[in-house]
Amino acid sequence: MLRFKDYAYGNKQKRFMPNILELRDLSRTYKLGDEVLNALDHVSLTVEKGQFIAIIGPSGSGKSTLANIIGGLDKPNNGTVQIDGQDLSKVRDNKLSTYRNQHIGFVFQSFNLQPHNTALENVMLPLVFSKLKRSERKKRAKECLEAVGLGERLNHKPDQLSGGQRQRVAIARALANNPSIIIADEPTGNLDSAKGAEIMDLLKSLSKQGITLIVITHDMNVAKQAQRVLEMRDGKLTERRG
Amino acid sequence: MRFSDYILISLQNIWRQKLRSALTIFAVVIGATSVTIMLALVTGAKGFFTSQFEANGVLQQVVVSPKADITNYDEAQHGGGGNCDSCVKLTDIVANKIEALPHATGLARVLTSGSVEAIKLGDKKLTVNQVKGYDTNGVITRTMVAGRDLDGNDKTGVITVSSDYADKLGFKSNYGSLVGKKVDLITRNWYTGIGADIPKPQMQPGANNEPNNKSTVLSATVVGVSDSNSDSQVVRAPLDWVHGMNMNQMWQPDEAYNQAAQEKCQRRTPGPCNVEQKLVLVSQDMVERNGYDSFVVKADATSNTAGLVTEIKKLGVGAADAQSYIQSQIQIFNIVGLVLGGIGGIALLVAAIGVINTMVMAILERTREIGVMRACGAKRSTVRALFTFEASLLGFLGGIVGIAVGYGLTRIANVFINKQLASNSFQVHNIIALPLWLIVTVIAATTVIGFFAGLYPASRAARLNPVDALRYE
Ligand SMILES: Nc1ncnc2c1ncn2[C@@H]1O[C@H](COP(=O)(O)OP(=O)(O)OP(=O)(O)O)[C@@H](O)[C@H]1O
Ligand SMILES: [Mg+2]
């Protein structure tokens, strides 16, 4: 978990909130035959702890690529990713995995629940890779499911749940290990607007509790709820509203 | 992740694809069963034959026979008698030479006699095939169920009998009472050995000489009852006594005396002179003529018997150890075992391919799930361990079921073999056993096969890029 002495101070003049995330000159390229594709082109970004930011942009602009790098699923070709004072672009896979486990919660557009496991088992998954005792895992997973309003659906399998409920399970799973950042890549993309609004309310309530929230979306209605909106275009990131 | 997590997750995944897992495990079961039966059969047979020999320290012995071209122990033991072209007489000189060889710690000369026809106690009379005599110096020992084995102080007049005889003489489950009893050994007719009463022929013309066609009764004290074994119509006695039984005693004219008497007579009365011929009882030592039947040599260690055989053979006599005899006896089991083992080996190879196939399929199906696990913090090594564990578990389960099936089949096989052994009056049964080491070995082997079969699919799973895995449709 975060320790105060590790906090980096950004924008000292304005506020005294520590920066949880500092991206500097990030580049991520894909080689496709002879062509080189710049999925991320010198991206820099600073996010304060507890902020809720939205990243918008057209399809293929590099939003998911950025989210994956922040989440430690991918590594940049160039630049640094400072999270909690630690440079992720240098660490090895083992440490990156532990980082994902301890600091990041992912929420995906297509929910990505384990289809054969119950809601409870799905939420327990990140806890399995932590050092928690089995009884504590269960207790914690229950708490998380209750927090997203699914206390009555512990033993339902994903195909016995509605889309909105599935995304709640996914959010509960993201919450399980008390993450400092939740990265949601199009969390409402597969839901109708009413269910999408409910999911956004849930995510916002988490942000209010101090979790840093990064939401990627096509939907301006979603984006406008964020404290900051950034736009991705051809791998370049610009601040739209801060 | 805890070890119990690996078990739980792997079992869940195996259970998820019931049919496919069952078929994969089935292939392992076939291999494991064949290998189990092979090992059980070969070790059972080896154990059986070895136990038949081990009891009397026979494994440490080398049998020497006069036949130079002897190849196996059994032949060497029974190929006695010095009347063949390539035979070398087993004399005391040969015995001394053998005893002087390195690794030879003792030697017993063996002599059998066929001159005893029956053993008699009270009104019970039983057939005897042979009396076996040997140096009672501890090289040849018997397991006694009552009384004592023959020892160095015994010369004549004592025997040991097998428990079979004791049973038939009416001492079943009461062998102790037979010990110390005097029994009669009844010889065949024309017996000329020690203790024989051979009538002196009448040399006068016209004398009616009774032929020696009557048997002699030799009195013997039973000092011990030995554990029964297959050659039951044998009575054991000290070498000296059997040596004596094999003597050939006969009346012969005393040539020197008769010659002198003749001359003396002729000097006194010219013309034909009819002197009474003097006869003496001479005894011909048949051992001196034919040598011993065989020698039993004790080596200092079981592992040195083969070398000792080679050394003894250099003296021109035949020699064999029990080891090679056991080997030849279990040859048939080895062949059956080899065939089963071959089938088992091929089945296990096919099973390994099955496990690889199953795991590759599972990884394709679960690519997205692997991505999710990685996103939730699973390390590459965790993913690798998980899939290797799952493959090992398939092998392990196959091994367990294979042992169970193998156990059932060996039980059935034992029923038939027991019948066969009983009809050959062996007092052993259930010779095909599944010792713990065999069970552990088979299960460990199938688990290891599963482990190795899982390595490649698991490393594929571990190498998956999490971002790609999460996008996989
Ligand atoms: N594994 C890959 N190999 C090659 N090119 C890739 C790969 N992954 C992404 N790209 C390319 O990188 C660019 C950025 O992709 P990314 O998935 O980040 O876009 P996105 O902004 O999330 O789009 P969308 O809104 O459709 O999800 C795209 O042009 C894509 O084709
Ligand atoms: Mg995307």
Side-chain angles (χ1 to χ4, degrees):
Chain A
M1 282 283 106
L2 293 170
R3 278 165 296 165
F4 194 76
K5 69 178 169 65
D6 293 335
Y7 291 0
Y9 288 83
N11 297 330
K12 274 181 187 161
Q13 305 90 331
K14 277 201 258 167
R15 285 163 284 172
F16 283 93
M17 282 303 280
N19 287 337
I20 190 157
L21 178 65
E22 274 187 49
L23 309 180
R24 261 187 244 278
D25 257 357
L26 276 193
S27 293
R28 177 67 166 99
T29 54
Y30 291 108
K31 277 210 182 78
L32 296 165
D34 291 343
E35 269 181 66
V36 176
L37 190 142
N38 284 309
L40 293 182
D41 191 359
H42 298 280
V43 169
S44 294
L45 170 67
T46 309
V47 180
E48 288 168 17
K49 181 178 171 356
Q51 251 182 357
F52 168 16
I53 70 165
I55 297 174
I56 57 168
S59 186
S61 58
K63 304 182 296 292
S64 295
T65 306
L66 180 62
N68 289 336
I69 288 177
I70 296 172
L73 281 172
D74 196 8
K75 279 188 185 181
N77 299 77
N78 263 308
T80 57
V81 186
Q82 290 262 343
I83 289 182
D84 197 6
Q86 197 176 45
D87 188 357
L88 286 191
S89 57
K90 302 280 189 299
V91 306
R92 299 169 64 87
D93 180 78
N94 261 5
K95 209 160 178 199
L96 214 51
S97 300
T98 309
Y99 160 76
R100 288 195 299 270
N101 186 248
Q102 299 295 313
H103 296 278
I104 301 290
F106 284 102
V107 178
F108 302 95
Q109 176 175 358
S110 52
F111 321 130
N112 274 336
L113 298 179
Q114 306 297 57
H116 300 277
N117 291 351
T118 63
L120 191 68
E121 287 165 342
N122 266 289
V123 177
M124 277 163 66
L125 188 64
L127 302 169
V128 169
F129 305 122
S130 71
K131 290 187 178 94
L132 237 52
K133 274 194 212 142
R134 198 188 294 278
S135 58
E136 286 176 40
R137 290 182 201 163
K138 207 162 192 168
K139 191 166 151 255
R140 173 70 188 151
K142 262 186 198 157
E143 277 169 20
C144 293
L145 278 166
E146 275 156 16
V148 300
L150 285 179
E152 309 291 307
R153 295 282 186 280
L154 301 181
N155 294 316
H156 284 57
K157 298 247 171 101
D159 58 8
Q160 298 165 328
L161 296 167
S162 73
Q165 286 172 327
R166 285 184 212 179
Q167 197 61 303
R168 282 167 191 274
V169 174
I171 291 170
R173 179 179 65 191
L175 276 176
N177 262 338
N178 266 323
S180 38
I181 305 176
I182 285 185
I183 300 170
D185 193 345
E186 312 254 13
T188 60
N190 282 10
L191 302 173
D192 62 34
S193 52
K195 293 285 175 219
E198 278 178 36
I199 291 296
M200 280 316 296
D201 286 345
L202 181 56
L203 287 173
K204 272 190 291 182
S205 75
L206 298 176
S207 159
K208 293 230 173 65
Q209 292 163 28
I211 296 175
T212 308
L213 181 61
I214 299 173
V215 175
I216 289 163
T217 183
H218 276 112
D219 188 343
M220 274 316 290
N221 284 329
V222 169
K224 72 184 182 197
Q225 303 176 43
Q227 293 165 320
R228 290 166 70 194
V229 180
L230 297 113
E231 184 174 354
M232 197 71 151
R233 223 170 253 281
D234 288 334
K236 291 192 173 65
L237 189 69
T238 49
E239 188 100 23
R240 279 274 295 265
R241 176 172 64 78
Chain B
M1 252 174 105
R2 285 144 199 278
F3 188 70
S4 58
D5 289 324
Y6 284 104
I7 297 177
L8 215 74
I9 295 175
S10 297
L11 279 176
Q12 264 179 4
N13 286 332
I14 288 172
W15 187 243
R16 223 158 95 177
Q17 288 288 346
K18 290 178 204 62
L19 182 64
R20 194 168 64 198
S21 301
L23 290 175
T24 310
I25 290 172
F26 182 64
V28 180
V29 169
I30 293 174
T33 304
S34 315
V35 170
T36 302
I37 293 176
M38 171 206 82
L39 288 176
L41 200 63
V42 172
T43 52
K46 231 176 220 157
F48 170 70
F49 283 107
T50 309
S51 71
Q52 293 299 104
F53 286 88
E54 225 161 31
N56 304 312
V58 172
L59 284 179
Q60 223 170 307
Q61 294 175 357
V62 173
V63 172
V64 179
S65 103
K67 256 191 196 151
D69 53 359
I70 222 86
T71 51
N72 85 41
Y73 182 84
D74 204 33
E75 244 186 287
Q77 245 185 343
H78 300 116
N83 36 20
C84 69
D85 293 341
S86 64
C87 284
V88 173
K89 203 158 96 178
L90 295 182
T91 60
D92 287 332
I93 297 167
V94 176
N96 288 338
K97 276 186 192 161
I98 291 172
E99 247 189 314
L101 289 173
H103 302 303
T105 59
L107 182 145
R109 299 162 295 177
V110 180
L111 200 57
T112 56
S113 171
S115 45
V116 174
E117 182 171 70
I119 182 169
K120 186 164 174 281
L121 177 64
D123 53 358
K124 293 220 168 61
K125 191 172 163 186
L126 303 169
T127 309
V128 172
N129 262 347
Q130 59 173 218
V131 180
K132 193 164 186 170
Y134 46 83
D135 284 316
T136 49
N137 54 7
V139 171
I140 298 173
T141 57
R142 307 283 305 161
T143 312
M144 307 309 288
V145 292
R148 60 168 180 85
D149 203 352
L150 295 169
D151 67 30
N153 297 324
D154 296 324
K155 297 290 180 236
T156 58
V158 292
I159 57 167
T160 64
V161 296
S162 70
S163 58
D164 281 11
Y165 267 138
D167 290 347
K168 287 179 193 149
L169 289 172
F171 292 87
K172 194 163 189 141
S173 68
N174 189 19
Y175 297 139
S177 314
L178 181 57
V179 175
K181 285 249 162 27
K182 273 206 185 315
V183 295
D184 289 339
L185 297 179
I186 298 163
T187 71
R188 294 176 204 287
N189 294 347
W190 308 104
Y191 174 72
T192 60
I194 194 166
D197 174 25
I198 299 165
K200 188 173 177 178
Q202 312 283 266
M203 293 311 279
Q204 300 96 323
N208 186 13
N209 277 322
E210 282 279 312
N212 177 30
N213 64 346
K214 59 180 169 116
S215 68
T216 307
V217 172
L218 303 171
S219 178
T221 306
V222 178
V223 296
V225 180
S226 70
D227 205 0
S228 170
N229 81 338
S230 44
D231 56 355
S232 51
Q233 289 187 323
V234 174
V235 167
R236 278 154 219 280
L239 182 71
D240 284 354
W241 199 18
V242 178
H243 193 159
M245 290 179 196
N246 281 0
M247 287 285 186
N248 186 10
Q249 299 180 88
M250 55 196 155
W251 290 102
Q252 272 184 349
D254 187 339
E255 293 298 348
Y257 176 88
N258 292 346
Q259 186 83 29
Q262 185 79 21
E263 278 166 13
K264 197 174 165 191
C265 167
Q266 266 169 354
R267 243 181 282 127
R268 230 177 355 200
T269 43
C273 198
N274 218 345
V275 193
E276 194 190 343
Q277 296 280 296
K278 187 182 177 191
L279 292 175
V280 285
L281 188 65
V282 298
S283 60
Q284 188 184 14
D285 188 342
M286 296 310 280
V287 171
E288 219 160 73
R289 210 175 87 175
N290 297 332
Y292 295 96
D293 285 357
S294 61
F295 294 152
V296 173
V297 186
K298 191 175 175 190
D300 53 3
T302 308
S303 54
N304 287 331
T305 55
L308 193 53
V309 165
T310 317
E311 286 304 310
I312 293 172
K313 277 182 171 168
K314 284 182 186 161
L315 300 172
V317 294
D321 59 353
Q323 210 71 44
S324 56
Y325 175 63
I326 293 173
Q327 287 304 328
S328 72
Q329 289 295 296
I330 61 174
Q331 201 62 34
I332 181 73
F333 290 95
N334 274 340
I335 290 166
V336 173
L338 221 60
V339 170
L340 278 173
I343 294 170
I346 292 167
L348 283 178
L349 190 73
V350 173
I353 295 169
V355 171
I356 295 174
N357 184 48
T358 298
M359 294 312 292
V360 168
M361 296 263 291
I363 283 153
L364 285 179
E365 281 173 11
R366 286 188 236 153
T367 299
R368 218 185 160 110
E369 292 174 38
I370 294 166
V372 173
M373 291 196 328
R374 300 277 280 136
C376 287
K379 294 171 182 154
R380 277 186 201 287
S381 54
T382 307
V383 172
R384 182 183 292 114
L386 196 57
F387 282 96
T388 325
F389 192 90
E390 191 173 322
S392 309
L393 193 58
L394 286 174
F396 176 78
L397 293 173
I400 296 266
V401 178
I403 284 284
V405 174
Y407 176 73
L409 291 179
T410 53
R411 282 286 293 261
I412 294 168
N414 269 336
V415 171
F416 289 101
I417 293 173
N418 285 350
K419 267 189 196 144
Q420 191 65 30
L421 287 175
S423 69
N424 285 321
S425 74
F426 278 107
Q427 285 173 339
V428 288
H429 42 83
N430 291 343
I431 62 168
I432 305 185
L434 288 188
L436 187 65
W437 69 261
L438 198 158
I439 294 172
V440 171
T441 304
V442 169
I443 293 175
T446 57
T447 308
V448 167
I449 287 170
F451 173 83
F452 279 108
L455 282 183
Y456 165 70
S459 84
R460 260 181 67 158
R463 275 203 310 269
L464 280 175
N465 177 316
V467 175
D468 294 340
L470 280 165
R471 271 209 306 240
Y472 185 86
E473 295 299 331

